[in-house]
Amino acid sequence: MPCPICEKDTDKTFRPFCSKRCADVDLGRWLNESYAVPSTDPEDMEQALSEAAQAAPKIH
């Protein structure tokens, strides 16, 4: 199975990655929320907009 980051052969120490570097790249993508499943559900969009509006600082 190839490394999902760079396509090199995997190393059993870092499986499914080939190195610590690729494992760290993947972790960074998770932490900055680069991995996401887009939603087309209108209810999800309305809830997200509502939550964003509530979280935004009020400017007077």
Side-chain angles (χ1 to χ4, degrees):
M1 167 167 54
C3 174
I5 303 299
C6 71
E7 302 295 320
K8 292 181 183 175
D9 289 335
T10 60
D11 181 315
K12 70 177 186 175
T13 306
F14 303 104
R15 189 166 283 160
F17 306 102
C18 67
S19 65
K20 181 171 179 359
R21 180 198 163 278
C22 283
D24 288 344
V25 168
D26 185 71
L27 177 61
R29 290 178 182 173
W30 279 106
L31 293 175
N32 74 16
E33 299 179 0
S34 292
Y35 295 135
V37 177
S39 174
T40 57
D41 185 352
E43 290 179 17
D44 288 345
M45 290 180 208
E46 289 175 14
Q47 181 179 357
L49 287 172
S50 174
E51 290 173 2
Q54 290 175 355
K58 305 291 183 204
I59 300 174
H60 299 294

